[in-house]
Amino acid sequence: MASISYSPAAFTGTAASDLLRSSSNGVSGIPLKTLGKARFTVKGRDATVAAKMRKVKKHEYPWPADPDPNVKGGVLTHLSAFKPLKEKQKPVTLDFEKPLVALEKKIIDVRRMANETGLDFSDQIISLENKYQQALKDLYTHLTPIQRVNIARHPNRPTFLDHVFSITDKFVELHGDRAGYDDPAVVTGIGTIDGRRYMFMGHQKGRNTKENIQRNFGMPTPHGYRKALRMMYYADHHGFPIVTFIDTPGAFADLKSEELGQGEAIAHNLRTMFGLKVPIISIVIGEGGSGGALAIGCANKLLMLENAVFYVASPEACAAILWKSAKASPKAAEKLRITATELSKLKICDGIIPEPLGGAHADPAWTSQQIKATINETMDELTAMDTEKLLKHRMLKFRKLGGFQEGVPVDPKKKVNMKKKEETVGRTSKAELEGEVEKLKQQILKAKESSTKPPELALKDMIEKLKKEVDHEYSEAVKAMGLKDRLAMLREEVSKVSSKDQLMNPVIMDKIEKLKREFNQGLAAAPNYTTLKYKLDMLKEFSKAKSLSEAATLKQEVNKKFNEVMGRPEINEKFEALKAEVQNSGASSFVDLDQGLKDKILNMKKEVELEIINALESLGLDVEVVKSNAKVLGDQASLSVFKDKVEYLNEEINKKIENVVHSSELKNMMESLKLEIAKAGKTPNIESKSKIKALEQQIKQRLSEAISSSELKGKHEELKAEISEAIQSSGGTDGSLQKETKYEEPRVEINLGANRSFA
């Protein structure tokens, strides 16, 4: 920097060559290098020249002196302004994650103590780490909408360029809208994934305060949207599929942006995206706010990361409008239905990309690979469509959103995701209910006295009414005990597990049992317990009356069918003919009959059985034929005397096992086994396997020794000999068949739907 002071009169008659000397020689013969080090003054006759040289930062040329030709993404990557951060991002703990910090601190303290003392605390560390992982899992599987909003806004959440550089083989950023300046809040460029070329564009937030200021916190101006529009035309011309990444709280709404046509730029993008002839995928990686997100979100498929949110207004803005306070933002977030799960149910989101426990910032590389796999899978589907089908697919995606017509049946798939109408139970006062119950009881008693059918319709209506009343009373009891939220959360958890796995998770089973116990223990103290008990007793009584009524009706129908079958002339004729043959043979029992007659009797029996079965199945009954033998049943009755002795011996054995299990020696062995299994993890080595096997053998041996004690063994042998002697004295099942046996008619057992049987 140089400053010159002069007097105009001083230069009168002075040559220019005298005033401006050659820069090569410096001023007055002094080199410029020397002049740069200090302030200097040159005095003339009537003029003074004063200059001061200021040190400036050397210009950083984007291309390094020794560029690596094998860098990922190609040599042009060196031109990218997006470089790895020099300092690692500081960890940020969200409010709802604070309970995890205490556990994490304990793990660090125990590890430090182990390093300082040299003692082995590996068991304690493993136990604490397991607790931490379980707490993390419980926390992140039951996130509220506002908690997901906080995760989507997390300062360390991976940005658009973080994901792009992770998933692409090569990526070149393209700048400018050719009409203004290059908006850094929107980044566009061409990249390849597994050899396929795509046009990428997305909102770019900063990774620290400096970058956020530079990127305007991911809020684009009209120039950013016009840059995206230019790249859309470019991709459409060259046939590149488009992948957009949405992560913005909204378009930048300052005065200058409005003057430059913010609304017009967004509208132009919306119109253009519906006419592009290439496949378009939009992925919400953070928060997608209003038209600022939609300007690059009119795609064939809209995908969302698990903890991303997509909204027309932020929860804080919505709460300020509706409840006049931003503190109501949790309530607003719930009502807006802005999470990936909710939007997927509403068919706005076409797919959810999973995130690791702790959010995408916990493992950015894994999250990026999930995004890459989803892009490949979705693009395979979209590129298989021709241009006309692709445009129609995009149009129909948006046309069907929120589409309802009067008088047209609702699509079953859509109906499932609609909010269910809350059924209002018309509660009956206790006095009215008692009157109705008493009236119905009198009707049933009159029916019994006159041997007529009880009033089935009135009975059915009363049972349905009592069921609704009991359900309502249970709900009121749950509310009064403060268990409503826990029950709703548990129901949601059970529905998720049952849809994926056949077997119920043992952790969930424990939660269910715990909630059951808590409810049963506190039910007696509920304010509506008396009313609930009365309604429940009435329901049981009327259900029993209905069962008896149904059983009596069914018995009459069965007897009617049986008489119809046995009253048929052809069966009667065969039966009489067979009876005459048996009498002519002179045999006194079934055993004395000749084989031919025996076969005839058996064939006749099978024929009658088949006819009866067909007749009963016509009533909608499940029929099972049970053959019985009087002698065998008698033998079984004689052996039942040993039941008490066997049960007593089993109790002794169980008591002995319990004593061994509760002994300190076996407890220590079992704890050691648990620790070894925990240390080994999912892939145990040979040493761990051998330790686990040895401990299992020792535990089995201790239990075997307890059971095989001389006292118990002697009792077992004695009881075994008694049972064997009793079987031999009765002739055994085989011997009893050789003796004279009284023939008993086959018994038909009918299994009913409601776990009832009729013989």
Side-chain angles (χ1 to χ4, degrees):
M1 177 181 179
S3 61
I4 301 173
S5 60
Y6 64 92
S7 171
F11 291 102
T12 309
T14 307
S17 59
D18 294 332
L19 292 173
L20 301 174
R21 296 177 183 272
S22 171
S23 61
S24 61
N25 295 325
V27 180
S28 302
I30 302 170
L32 286 176
K33 188 176 180 182
T34 308
L35 293 174
K37 293 180 180 178
R39 184 186 183 98
F40 67 89
T41 307
V42 179
K43 295 183 179 179
R45 287 189 298 270
D46 296 310
T48 302
V49 179
K52 183 181 179 182
M53 304 299 291
R54 186 179 67 186
K55 282 187 178 181
V56 296
K57 190 177 179 183
K58 188 178 178 182
H59 179 66
E60 291 183 357
Y61 194 73
W63 195 281
D66 52 344
D68 181 7
N70 299 318
V71 69
K72 187 187 175 186
V75 184
L76 291 176
T77 309
H78 292 294
L79 291 172
S80 174
F82 189 79
K83 305 289 183 187
L85 290 171
K86 293 178 182 177
E87 295 179 1
K88 193 177 179 182
Q89 289 176 301
K90 292 179 181 178
V92 177
T93 304
L94 301 173
D95 288 339
F96 67 90
E97 292 178 320
K98 285 179 181 177
L100 298 172
V101 176
L103 276 171
E104 208 168 0
K105 190 173 180 294
K106 278 184 184 177
I107 294 168
I108 293 166
D109 290 343
V110 173
R111 279 182 177 155
R112 187 174 65 247
M113 196 185 297
N115 292 332
E116 288 172 358
T117 60
L119 298 172
D120 183 17
F121 288 102
S122 56
D123 296 343
Q124 288 84 346
I125 291 168
I126 288 168
S127 176
L128 285 169
E129 283 177 345
N130 289 339
K131 280 184 183 177
Y132 178 83
Q133 288 300 323
Q134 187 60 44
L136 183 68
K137 187 178 178 182
D138 290 342
L139 184 66
Y140 272 83
T141 48
H142 301 99
L143 290 170
T144 62
I146 195 65
Q147 287 172 346
R148 292 195 189 274
V149 172
N150 292 331
I151 295 169
R153 294 172 177 170
H154 198 285
N156 298 343
R157 194 169 176 85
T159 63
F160 162 54
L161 285 174
D162 285 316
H163 288 305
V164 164
F165 283 119
S166 294
I167 67 178
T168 55
D169 310 318
K170 293 183 179 180
F171 178 75
V172 178
E173 188 177 342
L174 301 175
H175 299 270
D177 65 340
R178 301 294 186 267
Y181 66 92
D182 181 37
D183 185 358
V186 173
V187 176
T188 60
I190 300 172
T192 59
I193 299 177
D194 297 339
R196 284 183 180 177
R197 193 175 286 107
Y198 299 101
M199 174 64 76
F200 292 97
M201 57 187 70
H203 304 104
Q204 176 63 27
K205 287 184 177 179
R207 295 168 292 177
N208 51 39
T209 306
K210 184 180 176 181
E211 281 191 11
N212 266 320
I213 293 168
Q214 182 195 350
R215 301 279 183 185
N216 199 27
F217 293 86
M219 294 185 288
T221 62
H223 294 286
Y225 293 119
R226 286 174 183 137
K227 174 166 69 169
L229 181 67
R230 184 172 78 85
M231 298 310 163
M232 288 175 196
Y233 283 129
Y234 184 88
D236 194 43
H237 178 73
H238 292 284
F240 299 157
I242 298 171
V243 182
T244 70
F245 287 74
I246 297 170
D247 187 13
T248 180
F252 191 49
D254 68 329
L255 181 61
K256 191 69 177 174
S257 295
E258 293 302 321
E259 288 174 353
L260 292 171
Q262 183 76 283
E264 183 272 342
I266 291 172
H268 201 166
N269 279 26
L270 297 178
R271 185 185 69 182
T272 304
M273 288 189 83
F274 280 106
L276 297 176
K277 299 178 183 66
V278 292
I280 307 174
I281 297 174
S282 290
I283 303 170
V284 186
I285 57 172
E287 54 179 336
S290 191
L294 203 59
I296 58 170
C298 296
N300 293 92
K301 294 276 186 180
L302 177 71
L303 308 170
M304 293 179 72
L305 284 179
E306 189 179 345
N307 294 315
V309 289
F310 198 54
Y311 48 72
V312 70
S314 67
E316 292 81 6
C318 177
I321 294 166
L322 296 179
W323 293 284
K324 311 300 180 188
S325 171
K327 290 181 180 178
S329 55
K331 187 178 179 182
E334 186 180 349
K335 298 295 182 185
L336 284 169
R337 302 178 78 176
I338 57 178
T339 60
T341 310
E342 292 286 353
L343 294 171
S344 182
K345 287 179 182 178
L346 294 169
K347 302 296 181 185
I348 293 170
C349 167
D350 297 300
I352 300 172
I353 303 170
E355 290 186 34
L357 288 175
H361 54 279
D363 193 347
W366 187 86
T367 310
S368 296
Q369 290 309 308
Q370 297 301 312
I371 291 172
K372 180 180 178 180
T374 308
I375 289 172
N376 285 333
E377 185 182 342
T378 311
M379 277 300 177
D380 286 340
E381 180 187 342
L382 295 177
T383 49
M385 300 180 188
D386 57 24
T387 305
E388 188 180 347
K389 192 175 179 183
L390 192 73
L391 290 168
K392 190 175 181 182
H393 177 274
R394 197 179 307 149
M395 182 267 293
L396 289 175
K397 171 180 167 50
F398 287 88
R399 288 291 293 171
K400 71 182 180 182
L401 296 180
F404 296 95
Q405 288 178 283
E406 290 184 9
V408 178
V410 180
D411 180 13
K413 288 183 181 177
K414 192 176 283 188
K415 197 169 185 178
V416 167
N417 296 320
M418 287 171 66
K419 187 178 179 182
K420 291 181 180 177
K421 187 179 178 182
E422 293 181 3
E423 291 183 11
T424 54
V425 180
R427 291 193 67 190
T428 313
S429 65
K430 192 176 178 183
E432 288 178 7
L433 191 64
E434 284 177 355
E436 289 180 21
V437 165
E438 195 60 38
K439 188 178 177 182
L440 186 58
K441 279 184 177 179
Q442 293 298 328
Q443 290 178 10
I444 293 168
L445 286 171
K446 283 179 184 178
K448 279 185 180 178
E449 288 170 5
S450 58
S451 300
T452 57
K453 287 177 71 175
E456 290 183 5
L457 189 61
L459 195 60
K460 187 180 177 183
D461 291 343
M462 178 56 74
I463 288 169
E464 289 300 320
K465 187 173 185 178
L466 283 170
K467 277 181 182 176
K468 288 180 182 177
E469 291 282 341
V470 166
D471 287 342
H472 185 78
E473 294 297 338
Y474 270 124
S475 301
E476 291 297 319
V478 168
K479 280 183 192 175
M481 292 163 69
L483 301 174
K484 186 182 177 184
D485 293 337
R486 278 176 62 191
L487 182 62
M489 195 181 293
L490 194 57
R491 275 178 179 164
E492 187 180 347
E493 201 170 335
V494 169
S495 66
K496 285 179 183 176
V497 173
S498 60
S499 62
K500 293 179 182 176
D501 303 321
Q502 291 284 333
L503 298 173
M504 185 69 77
N505 191 330
V507 177
I508 296 175
M509 290 297 291
D510 290 342
K511 287 181 182 178
I512 291 169
E513 290 301 323
K514 189 178 178 183
L515 190 63
K516 266 187 188 177
R517 284 197 300 272
E518 198 171 331
F519 177 75
N520 290 331
Q521 285 170 6
L523 184 60
N528 63 330
Y529 176 70
T530 311
T531 311
L532 171 62
K533 193 172 183 305
Y534 171 75
K535 290 178 180 178
L536 200 58
D537 291 341
M538 288 302 103
L539 179 61
K540 287 177 182 176
E541 191 175 336
F542 284 125
S543 297
K544 188 178 178 182
K546 187 185 175 187
S547 299
L548 292 171
S549 172
E550 287 176 354
T553 307
L554 187 61
K555 189 173 182 180
Q556 288 176 4
E557 290 180 3
V558 168
N559 288 335
K560 187 179 177 183
K561 287 286 181 185
F562 184 79
N563 292 330
E564 283 177 7
V565 171
M566 296 306 295
R568 288 180 189 171
E570 63 272 17
I571 291 178
N572 275 331
E573 286 175 9
K574 288 181 182 179
F575 186 74
E576 290 298 331
L578 195 57
K579 190 177 178 182
E581 282 188 49
V582 171
Q583 287 175 353
N584 293 333
S585 66
S588 59
S589 65
F590 181 76
V591 179
D592 298 333
L593 294 172
D594 61 3
Q595 193 59 40
L597 201 53
K598 280 182 183 178
D599 292 341
K600 281 185 180 181
I601 292 170
L602 291 173
N603 290 334
M604 179 68 184
K605 185 184 76 169
K606 285 178 183 177
E607 188 180 341
V608 172
E609 277 181 7
L610 191 61
E611 290 291 337
I612 292 171
I613 287 169
N614 291 335
L616 294 177
E617 283 179 349
S618 66
L619 295 173
L621 301 172
D622 182 19
V623 182
E624 183 182 351
V625 177
V626 182
K627 295 181 181 179
S628 60
N629 187 290
K631 186 72 176 72
V632 174
L633 290 173
D635 293 341
Q636 288 174 353
S638 66
L639 293 174
S640 65
V641 294
F642 295 103
K643 185 180 176 182
D644 293 337
K645 290 185 179 180
V646 172
E647 285 181 358
Y648 181 72
L649 184 60
N650 282 337
E651 283 177 11
E652 278 195 73
I653 292 169
N654 290 334
K655 195 172 180 182
K656 189 76 175 175
I657 291 169
E658 281 180 13
N659 291 336
V660 175
V661 168
H662 288 100
S663 66
S664 58
E665 184 184 1
L666 199 65
K667 271 188 179 177
N668 292 334
M669 285 185 187
M670 291 172 83
E671 288 296 326
S672 303
L673 181 61
K674 284 180 185 176
L675 287 173
E676 284 297 332
I677 292 169
K679 281 182 187 177
K682 291 183 179 179
T683 54
N685 53 28
I686 298 168
E687 188 181 349
S688 298
K689 282 182 180 177
S690 60
K691 282 184 180 179
I692 291 167
K693 194 173 180 181
L695 284 167
E696 285 177 349
Q697 288 293 337
Q698 288 177 14
I699 291 167
K700 285 178 183 177
Q701 190 177 350
R702 293 287 184 279
L703 291 172
S704 179
E705 286 172 1
I707 295 167
S708 303
S709 65
S710 57
E711 185 184 353
L712 289 175
K713 200 170 181 180
K715 287 183 180 180
H716 178 262
E717 291 296 332
E718 187 180 338
L719 185 59
K720 190 177 175 183
E722 285 182 29
I723 293 170
S724 178
E725 187 180 345
I727 291 170
Q728 286 176 4
S729 64
S730 64
T733 53
D734 295 335
S736 64
L737 293 173
Q738 302 299 325
K739 297 179 182 180
E740 183 179 341
T741 308
K742 184 180 177 183
Y743 174 74
E744 186 176 285
E745 290 183 1
R747 180 165 60 90
V748 180
E749 189 173 286
I750 305 159
N751 297 323
L752 303 179
N755 297 324
R756 292 170 290 160
S757 64
F758 173 76

